[in-house]
Amino acid sequence: MDQEDNVGERDKGGEGVGGEEEGTQKENGRLMLADGVADRGPKSLTSGSGQQVSNGFTTSAPQSPREGPGTATSAAGTTSGPSVPLGGLRTLVVQQTSLERPRETWSKKMDFLLSVIGYAVDLGNVWRFPYICYQNGGGAFLLPYLLMAVFGGVPLFYMELALGQFHRSGCISIWKHICPIFKGIGFAICIIALYIAFYYNTIMAWALYYLLSSFQPTLPWTTCTNSWNTHNCNRYMSSDHNVSWSNSSTSPAEEFYTRHVLQVHRSPGLHQLGSVSWQLALCLLFIFIIVYFSIWKGVKTSGKVVWVTATFPYLVLVVLLIRGATLPGAWRGVVFYLKPDWEKLLSPGVWIDAAAQIFFSLGPGFGVLLAFASYNPFHNNCYKDALVTSSVNCLTSFLSGFVIFTVLGYMAEMRQQSVDAVAKDAGPSLLFIIYAEAIANMPAATFFAIIFFLMIIMLGLDSTFAGLEGVITAMLDEFPHVLAKRREWFVFGLVCVCYLGALSTLTYGGAFVVKLFEEYATGPAVITVVLLEVIAVSWFYGTKRFCNDIQLMLGFYPGCFWRTCWVAICPCFLLFIIISFLAFPPEVKLFHYKYPQWTTVLGYCIGVSSFICVPAYMFYHLLNAKGTFKQFVPFMPYLQHLANNKVHLRHYE
């Protein structure tokens, strides 16, 4: 009887411990009770959303490869074999799945989709795609654009989503699971993201200045009687029939943009930028305040903000499309936009522009897709997400072309010029000069100006949220013990660095700095980084291993098309862009200021300053691995050795 009482007390104590352990397991997914009671018997490990262990208890679905079902063990060996006799000892098995803090996840699947769409759909979709489309053959340009998207852009997009979701790491720490010698790619991505933040947010500051100036009965860029206007200013409204437009004429919208907002006439060039515009400095400060309070708590807060910033631009685009289609002469712009010129397809520049446009539109290589996907559940269908979001991005670019060119056709009809003459301005000038002037000629001009520039700000905010979140996730994953509990302060410091770095773009010659960063500093560097990323994943980590990872997550093996793209087509696609850029460097010119030769060297130096992290870390890793350069001579076999032996093996392999 005493023996039975002792067994009963042990049973009660075990049940108490079991309830306590079950509660702990529900809380953080780390502890699990294994029970060898005869009436339950041993059960095999099964896969599914609820993972069953040997005792029949159900654990939560694995959230990462390091938290998979294969880590379940049994100290008493009860995973197989005959059942334990009735009244046998109860065994408490502790499953140590991770010593790290539970990773944050998206509140809803739609938060992730809207964040990715908001990141991919940016200002370039509104002005760069329509301009490049009509410049490279109109409707004929859609053929190389779609080919580059199918064989280059979408496979890269899919690859980064799958990598981020499987390894649940940012762009720096993910390389310890893929190929440690390429870890410098992650640091290079963070530096490039900072360079982009230095100039990209300045465009939103310009849009905010326009937005604040729009709250007037008469828009300030419609008159020539202001202090910033010159004698060449020619007010050409739809109601003015006696005014003739000449090649030397400048519109009030152009002078408002160049002489009042940017004040570029007060700077002779990059060698003398001038003072900082305090109006733009305040506008940019307000932009960064919005950015900080949107991302300081992580994806839980930014995922809610994108419900507004990612959907509002589509509402405005539909309103502007309907309004533009009803303007006189709108058909001229649409015909000019879509009329195919098949002969231009023989020019290599068309294919270069198509490849560059789809690459920078979808945005692989900036660390954003890795960061966003790392907060997904482990079994989320990232394949479907890649197809949906990339399709939405391309369709948005095509829709924006109609929005822009219906208005350009109206401007050509009003000025009695060709659409080509009206659309000669590229870049942000297309939005801040041509489109702003067209809005001023519409009925209810104040309303349309407000919603248009608000849309520009929303498009920019999404991309800024994403770019900085890529840096934040990378640094927090790389230095979790230092930064994990100090996220708010780290984000604050990062925003301050971005604001200070952007001060050069707020000077009188700041527009020249923006153009320099855009053309030279970030483009070639990020393409080179992505090329190395594809090579590291497909050739060193191995396409077969990568496809096995995807099969473990999604339940199906990637097809031959995706494997071929990752191994051969995507590297050739990126190498084609790099060689084309080096062979045909862009001729940078802005507001009749032709950049001197030394500025080209300066731009390349800025780009190399970010890319230099990759070879520097390679040498550092080689020295730490062997302590000598002798093993560096057979370069490829040694890298393959590192790739095969330095990766972290997963428990379920």
Side-chain angles (χ1 to χ4, degrees):
M1 291 179 62
D2 292 339
Q3 191 173 12
E4 290 178 0
D5 290 339
N6 292 334
V7 171
E9 290 176 2
R10 282 200 303 270
D11 288 345
K12 292 180 182 179
E15 292 173 0
V17 173
E20 183 176 290
E21 296 295 337
E22 286 182 77
T24 307
Q25 183 267 336
K26 291 179 181 178
E27 179 180 357
N28 57 20
R30 295 182 181 179
L31 299 180
M32 179 173 55
L33 182 65
D35 196 350
V37 181
D39 53 45
R40 288 182 181 170
K43 295 185 180 180
S44 60
L45 185 68
T46 60
S47 61
S49 59
Q51 304 289 342
Q52 290 186 342
V53 293
S54 61
N55 60 353
F57 283 93
T58 302
T59 66
S60 59
Q63 292 298 305
S64 74
R66 293 173 296 281
E67 297 174 9
T71 56
T73 58
S74 176
T78 58
T79 55
S80 62
S83 59
V84 179
L86 183 64
L89 295 178
R90 299 168 63 88
T91 304
L92 175 65
V93 178
V94 178
Q95 179 194 28
Q96 187 70 38
T97 59
S98 177
L99 293 176
E100 302 172 357
R101 297 177 61 189
R103 190 170 185 84
E104 187 179 12
T105 57
W106 298 97
S107 300
K108 298 179 181 178
K109 174 66 174 291
M110 203 62 186
D111 294 355
F112 165 72
L113 292 178
L114 289 177
S115 297
V116 174
I117 291 174
Y119 160 68
V121 178
D122 62 352
L123 299 176
N125 295 76
V126 178
W127 64 263
R128 185 185 289 116
F129 176 83
Y131 179 81
I132 291 179
C133 185
Y134 99 82
Q135 192 181 41
N136 292 285
F141 177 76
L142 297 178
L143 177 61
Y145 179 77
L146 291 177
L147 288 176
M148 292 297 178
V150 171
F151 291 98
V154 178
L156 291 172
F157 198 87
Y158 176 28
M159 183 190 73
E160 287 214 346
L161 287 182
L163 283 174
Q165 181 172 305
F166 184 82
H167 296 287
R168 300 182 63 79
S169 301
C171 62
I172 298 178
S173 58
I174 193 174
W175 291 102
K176 67 184 179 182
H177 310 296
I178 300 176
C179 187
I181 200 172
F182 286 101
K183 193 174 183 180
I185 292 177
F187 292 103
I189 289 174
C190 293
I191 296 175
I192 293 172
L194 288 179
Y195 287 162
I196 295 174
F198 289 166
Y199 76 88
Y200 189 82
N201 297 282
T202 301
I203 302 176
M204 284 188 288
W206 299 344
L208 180 59
Y209 193 93
Y210 269 84
L211 177 64
L212 298 176
S213 302
S214 300
F215 289 94
Q216 300 180 27
T218 302
L219 297 177
W221 58 86
T222 59
T223 61
C224 292
T225 58
N226 303 288
S227 59
W228 59 81
N229 293 124
T230 65
H231 64 278
N232 289 328
C233 182
N234 198 342
R235 185 178 184 270
Y236 200 95
M237 304 294 290
S238 57
S239 58
D240 299 332
H241 302 287
N242 299 325
V243 179
S244 59
W245 188 267
S246 64
N247 292 331
S248 61
S249 300
T250 57
S251 65
E254 180 179 353
E255 293 195 350
F256 178 81
Y257 177 59
T258 59
R259 298 181 60 86
H260 183 62
V261 179
L262 303 182
Q263 304 184 59
V264 293
H265 65 286
R266 305 178 68 175
S267 172
L270 284 172
H271 62 281
Q272 188 176 345
L273 296 177
S275 304
V276 174
S277 172
W278 66 268
Q279 298 96 329
L280 294 179
L282 289 179
C283 290
L284 185 62
L285 179 62
F286 183 74
I287 292 293
F288 273 116
I289 290 175
I290 296 176
V291 170
Y292 174 72
F293 285 106
S294 299
I295 65 175
W296 68 324
K297 293 292 186 181
V299 295
K300 296 292 186 181
T301 55
S302 62
K304 299 296 183 293
V305 177
V306 294
W307 280 83
V308 177
T309 57
T311 57
F312 180 77
Y314 286 95
L315 177 62
V316 176
L317 285 175
V318 172
V319 172
L320 293 177
L321 178 61
I322 296 173
R323 184 66 188 100
T326 59
L327 294 172
W331 62 273
R332 294 179 58 187
V334 174
V335 170
F336 188 80
Y337 172 48
L338 295 179
K339 183 180 178 180
D341 185 359
W342 300 106
E343 293 182 357
K344 286 196 173 183
L345 295 183
L346 301 177
S347 173
V350 175
W351 297 86
I352 295 172
D353 288 342
Q357 172 62 26
I358 192 63
F359 175 81
F360 288 107
S361 180
L362 293 177
F366 293 92
V368 175
L369 300 177
L370 292 173
F372 280 171
S374 69
Y375 298 112
N376 276 335
F378 184 69
H379 295 291
N380 174 65
N381 192 346
C382 60
Y383 172 71
K384 181 179 178 181
D385 296 342
L387 296 180
V388 169
T389 52
S390 56
S391 300
V392 169
N393 175 72
C394 296
L395 291 175
T396 303
S397 299
F398 188 63
L399 174 66
S400 300
F402 288 98
V403 175
I404 296 296
F405 274 90
T406 53
V407 172
L408 292 181
Y410 165 65
M411 292 292 296
E413 182 81 11
M414 186 181 65
R415 291 184 179 180
Q416 298 180 355
Q417 292 180 316
S418 64
V419 180
D420 191 13
V422 175
K424 62 182 180 180
D425 291 322
S429 299
L430 186 65
L431 302 178
F432 294 109
I433 297 178
I434 302 299
Y435 211 92
E437 183 178 354
I439 288 176
N441 283 275
M442 296 179 185
T446 299
F447 168 74
F448 285 107
I450 291 173
I451 64 171
F452 175 73
F453 291 111
L454 193 59
M455 177 192 71
I456 297 299
I457 296 172
M458 296 289 185
L459 288 172
L461 284 175
D462 287 333
S463 299
T464 299
F465 295 162
L468 294 182
E469 185 59 50
V471 178
I472 295 167
T473 299
M475 298 304 293
L476 263 63
D477 288 345
E478 181 65 14
F479 308 104
H481 301 294
V482 179
L483 301 176
K485 296 181 180 180
R486 302 175 179 88
R487 177 188 171 97
E488 292 84 356
W489 287 106
F490 175 69
V491 175
F492 179 77
L494 180 64
V495 169
C496 290
V497 169
C498 293
Y499 182 78
L500 294 176
L503 289 180
S504 62
T505 65
L506 303 177
T507 57
Y508 300 144
F512 304 138
V513 180
V514 171
K515 189 70 173 177
L516 181 70
F517 269 104
E518 183 182 4
E519 294 291 342
Y520 289 107
T522 57
V526 73
I527 296 175
T528 307
V529 163
V530 177
L531 175 62
L532 292 177
E533 179 182 326
V534 174
I535 291 174
V537 174
S538 301
W539 298 1
F540 295 104
Y541 184 69
T543 305
K544 182 178 180 181
R545 180 181 294 175
F546 178 51
C547 292
N548 288 334
D549 295 343
I550 294 178
Q551 185 178 26
L552 185 66
M553 285 193 304
L554 307 183
F556 58 86
Y557 199 81
C560 180
F561 168 76
W562 299 107
R563 299 197 302 271
T564 306
C565 287
W566 291 327
V567 172
I569 298 180
C570 287
C572 293
F573 166 79
L574 296 168
L575 194 61
F576 169 71
I577 301 177
I578 295 173
I579 295 176
S580 302
F581 185 89
L582 297 176
F584 308 100
E587 183 181 357
V588 184
K589 186 178 180 181
L590 183 65
F591 303 134
H592 308 291
Y593 171 70
K594 188 174 182 180
Y595 285 66
Q597 191 65 33
W598 66 268
T599 59
T600 303
V601 177
L602 176 63
Y604 281 124
C605 289
I606 297 175
V608 171
S609 67
S610 61
F611 177 73
I612 200 66
C613 297
V614 181
Y617 191 85
M618 284 184 176
F619 279 98
Y620 169 78
H621 189 85
L622 289 169
L623 288 174
N624 282 353
K626 294 296 181 181
T628 178
F629 283 104
K630 293 181 179 179
Q631 295 292 336
F632 189 71
V633 178
F635 189 63
M636 190 65 68
Y638 182 57
L639 289 183
Q640 291 175 345
H641 171 75
L642 288 176
N644 293 329
N645 295 280
K646 293 295 184 180
V647 296
H648 291 252
L649 298 179
R650 284 160 292 282
H651 296 290
Y652 42 74
E653 287 187 342

